[in-house]
Amino acid sequence: ITPASISDAAVQGFVDRISNAFVNGEINHDVINFYEIERGIKAQKGIYKYAKARGYSSIKEMMDDAINVHSTCLAITNVSGRTLTCRYMHHQAIGFEVFKPGEMLRFMNGERLENGPEVKVSAVNMLNEREVEITIDRDVPAEWGVGDAVENADYQCAAVFRNNIVCHNRARGTLFTTPKPVLVESNLFYKVTGASILFSGDNYYWYESGACRDVVIRGNVFSNCYTAAGGYSKAAISFYPVVRNPGIQQKCYHGNVLIEDNVFSGFDSPLLFALSVENLVWRNNHIEYNNLYRGCEEPPFVIRKCRNIKIDGIDCSSDTRMDTALREETDFNDSWSFGNAGGCERASKRFTLPPS
């Protein structure tokens, strides 16, 4: 889609179930008094909600995420032989065609948010707008059933989010939940209220799934972000899947993450929150602190139920703020290291900050 221009949309600007979409354009959401306009509000609930995004976009003052990439999972409500009865649990997902015959179905544990085996779909029968019968090519494994969920293992998409400006978003900046490669590169995140980048996933409320297994965050500028500390996630970069019973989780949900050569310029606030992540590397990121907003009085790094986390190569303008990192002791937190090696290319030179 090029060029792309959105001026008025009550909800998402673009929605696409199937991948291979590319967008170039400019998206503006000016400040509007919601009580003085009758015909709607500009794309307030998210601009891109679809498969792939790559372009040169200015995305400003959104009520929700600038981009949200995820799968839709369904709750299992009944099992009979080779047939699953499943339900669309969130009303905003109704109408999306999640499965077709011949596609692969993946089981998801409802309590632990752990992926299970994949099987082929043989037939799909919509019972009503919320319920669907799915027949697979073998009997449903005995350990999977009511309370668990299913997602499409084929239609997961890669995402490239590059050379964009995300400014003054009310909630998050971007949201990615997909096992295919995710590259977030050379963007400016400016005064985003919550997490600039959120990696979530759940089969609990939104039913937006897709465990991230290949993530690169490189060469971005995060300027005075996470201004609503405690709301809209946990840090500028947040890995925050919703696990119903994390105490019994045996496998990490997200994994294989590289965060390098970024600039974090702002007040004292959390930089990285990681829950249920394995194989994460933080290196050569530059951190500059200011006093524009009151600090959050929270550590810059919070690591929970993770494996093989390495935080190193930190170049910081204030050593006193980098001497604490929270590591919660659990069975998962092994191979965890924290160091200061310094040095990073200052990506901020490539951007002119928009007006405050």
Side-chain angles (χ1 to χ4, degrees), residues 15-65:
V15 180
D16 186 13
R17 181 225 177 217
I18 300 177
S19 56
N20 302 320
F22 298 86
V23 171
N24 294 290
E26 180 169 335
I27 316 297
N28 293 302
H29 183 333
D30 300 322
V31 177
I32 295 176
N33 186 326
F34 288 15
Y35 299 100
E36 295 180 358
I37 188 167
E38 296 181 356
R39 66 185 185 90
I41 308 161
K42 298 184 181 180
Q44 62 166 325
K45 291 298 184 181
I47 281 296
Y48 305 138
K49 190 181 182 70
Y50 67 121
K52 292 185 178 180
R54 183 173 66 188
Y56 303 88
S57 300
S58 176
I59 305 166
K60 303 174 183 178
E61 299 175 9
M62 302 298 306
M63 293 290 288
D64 216 346
D65 321 301

Side-chain angles (χ1 to χ4, degrees), residues 42-213:
K42 298 184 181 180
Q44 62 166 325
K45 291 298 184 181
I47 281 296
Y48 305 138
K49 190 181 182 70
Y50 67 121
K52 292 185 178 180
R54 183 173 66 188
Y56 303 88
S57 300
S58 176
I59 305 166
K60 303 174 183 178
E61 299 175 9
M62 302 298 306
M63 293 290 288
D64 216 346
D65 321 301
I67 182 172
N68 186 353
V69 178
H70 64 84
S71 178
T72 297
C73 60
L74 307 178
I76 301 174
T77 58
N78 189 57
V79 175
S80 177
R82 297 188 174 191
T83 300
L84 300 157
T85 302
C86 300
R87 183 174 177 82
Y88 290 80
M89 298 300 291
H90 196 277
H91 68 277
Q92 291 179 337
I94 295 174
F96 282 99
E97 188 177 35
V98 177
F99 295 104
K100 287 185 176 182
E103 297 176 349
M104 297 300 292
L105 173 152
R106 180 187 294 118
F107 288 94
M108 302 171 59
N109 184 277
E111 290 292 315
R112 303 192 304 270
L113 194 65
E114 295 174 353
N115 288 340
E118 298 179 9
V119 296
K120 182 173 287 189
V121 175
S122 300
V124 178
N125 177 34
M126 289 297 303
L127 301 177
N128 51 60
E129 70 170 11
R130 276 192 176 269
E131 293 184 305
V132 56
E133 282 186 345
I134 303 168
T135 303
I136 59 177
D137 63 352
R138 68 199 71 177
D139 286 345
V140 176
E143 64 272 25
W144 300 92
V146 176
D148 295 322
V150 292
E151 66 177 357
N152 192 312
D154 286 336
Y155 274 99
Q156 305 277 356
C157 61
V160 177
F161 194 73
R162 179 187 288 131
N163 296 337
N164 302 291
I165 297 174
V166 181
C167 173
H168 291 294
N169 273 34
R170 183 207 60 155
R172 297 149 299 270
T174 59
L175 202 163
F176 301 97
T177 316
T178 175
K180 295 295 181 67
V182 174
L183 173 63
V184 182
E185 185 177 50
S186 301
N187 302 286
L188 169 62
F189 297 93
Y190 182 67
K191 289 188 177 180
V192 177
T193 300
S196 297
I197 309 175
L198 171 62
F199 301 88
S200 187
D202 79 289
N203 56 16
Y204 178 66
Y205 177 74
W206 292 103
Y207 283 77
E208 296 181 357
S209 59
C212 293
R213 308 308 301 175

Side-chain angles (χ1 to χ4, degrees), residues 282-295:
W282 169 293
R283 68 188 183 198
N284 298 329
N285 296 291
H286 179 77
I287 301 161
E288 300 173 348
Y289 281 108
N290 61 43
N291 295 309
L292 182 61
Y293 299 108
R294 186 178 66 184

Side-chain angles (χ1 to χ4, degrees), residues 239-258:
F239 291 83
Y240 197 12
V242 181
V243 187
R244 297 191 198 194
N245 195 341
I248 63 172
Q249 192 181 45
Q250 300 172 7
K251 297 185 292 186
C252 294
Y253 188 65
H254 296 304
N256 306 319
V257 179
L258 174 61

